[in-house]
Each structure stands twice: as C-alpha cells, then as structure tokens.
Amino acid sequence: MFGFCGETEEAFNDTLSLLTLVQYNVCYLFAYSMRQKTHAYHKLQDSVQQKVKLQRLNKAVTLFRELAQQVNERQIGTLQLVLVEGDSKRSSAELAGRNDGNTKVIFPKIKLPSTTSDDKISETEIFPGDYVVVEIKSASSQILKGTPIQHTTLQDFYRFKTAIS
C-alpha cells in the first residue's frame, strides 16, 4: 500500500528497498484510499496527495515487474513440478498450471509419458489436477513457459528429478 497517512519519502524508499531485498514473485500493490468504517478514516488524516500516491505506486509496480522478471528468468532451464489448472486463457492448445512458488506456467497440451502402477510407460492426456514435469524455456514478470516432459505424482517427481541429476 502506498501513500498511507503520513507516509514519508524515506518510508517509501524503505519499502522499495524491501522489494529489492526480498524479490517477491507475487505482489499486490495499490495506492491507499480512505475507507469508511476503518480506524484510519476516523482517527488519521489522509496527508499524502493523490498525485504522490499514484507516482509512488507506479514506481513500485515498475520495480516489482523488473525484479519479478529477474526472479522468473532464473527458472529458465529448470524442471518444475506443475499442478495443472486447465486450458490457458489465450489458447486451448496450451495448458496452464502453477509451480510450487505459485507462478503460472504455460505449456503445450500434448499427451505425455506416464508410469503406470505396474511400472509400464504409457502416453496419457493431461487434465486439471494432474501433476506435470515442465522444463522452463522462457519467462516474463508474470509467467513461465515451458515444455512438458512427463505426467507425474508428487512422490515420483522427486525420484525423477534425482534420477536425471
């Protein structure tokens, strides 16, 4: 939240320093606005001009996106365990899911190798709720894109990852 009652330039810069230090991959940023039924509305004075609030918000959003891009780019080349949520919003030829860092991962919708209960390998369609091993090929500040390697389970993922290391 930017522009809370009494926020100084120093406090704002401390917040930017925290964003830089922690390097969040998800962040909810917004300008403060007075709301009735809150303690601040009744007890504090909204002393930061709206123009300043929006400038600070824009600066923080820009910094966050730059840092999130860097965080996500470090994932390129890694194998990620992805919980499939369903079709990608942009294409029914792609699936979308989330990795264990809650970053959205997009990958082609194809049949994948899967190990059956009797240790045979077969091709299987992927559905929401399935786990997939995805090799990350590219990144933006908001999503990772990759190539699906195989259908898996939580337990099998760590065995698979260890076997190829």
Side-chain angles (χ1 to χ4, degrees):
M1 172 177 16
F2 298 92
F4 185 71
C5 306
E7 180 184 64
T8 64
E9 192 67 27
E10 180 182 6
F12 170 67
N13 287 327
D14 286 347
T15 301
L16 296 181
S17 294
L18 180 67
L19 285 173
T20 302
L21 178 68
V22 176
Q23 297 193 357
Y24 297 100
N25 67 335
V26 175
C27 199
Y28 299 99
L29 306 171
F30 54 93
Y32 172 75
S33 61
M34 281 285 198
R35 304 286 165 108
Q36 288 184 352
K37 299 183 182 179
T38 65
H39 175 79
Y41 182 84
H42 297 286
K43 303 289 183 183
L44 302 174
Q45 185 173 7
D46 192 1
S47 58
V48 180
Q49 295 176 1
Q50 186 65 21
K51 178 181 173 184
V52 173
K53 291 177 188 181
L54 294 177
Q55 287 171 341
R56 289 177 179 175
L57 174 63
N58 288 334
K59 189 172 183 179
V61 167
T62 299
L63 176 63
F64 164 72
R65 286 186 177 154
E66 290 170 1
L67 295 169
Q69 176 81 32
Q70 294 169 14
V71 167
N72 287 344
E73 283 177 351
R74 288 194 293 266
Q75 302 301 313
I76 294 173
T78 64
L79 295 178
Q80 298 284 316
L81 177 64
V82 176
L83 175 60
V84 178
E85 295 177 330
D87 287 348
S88 167
K89 288 182 182 177
R90 295 194 177 183
S91 171
S92 61
E94 294 179 316
L95 291 169
R98 301 219 175 239
N99 68 6
D100 60 3
N102 199 35
T103 303
K104 184 173 276 195
V105 181
I106 307 293
F107 55 94
K109 183 194 288 186
I110 59 174
K111 287 186 175 184
L112 293 176
S114 179
T115 305
T116 62
S117 59
D118 56 356
D119 289 332
K120 293 183 180 176
I121 295 178
S122 65
E123 294 270 309
T124 187
E125 285 189 53
I126 305 303
F127 297 99
D130 287 345
Y131 285 102
V132 175
V133 179
V134 177
E135 182 179 4
I136 304 305
K137 300 291 189 178
S138 65
S140 73
S141 64
Q142 302 297 310
I143 64 166
L144 302 171
K145 287 192 171 188
T147 303
I149 305 298
Q150 79 173 51
H151 180 266
T152 191
T153 64
L154 285 171
Q155 185 177 22
D156 288 344
F157 171 71
Y158 294 102
R159 277 189 261 171
F160 173 77
K161 198 169 177 184
T162 302
I164 63 167
S165 296

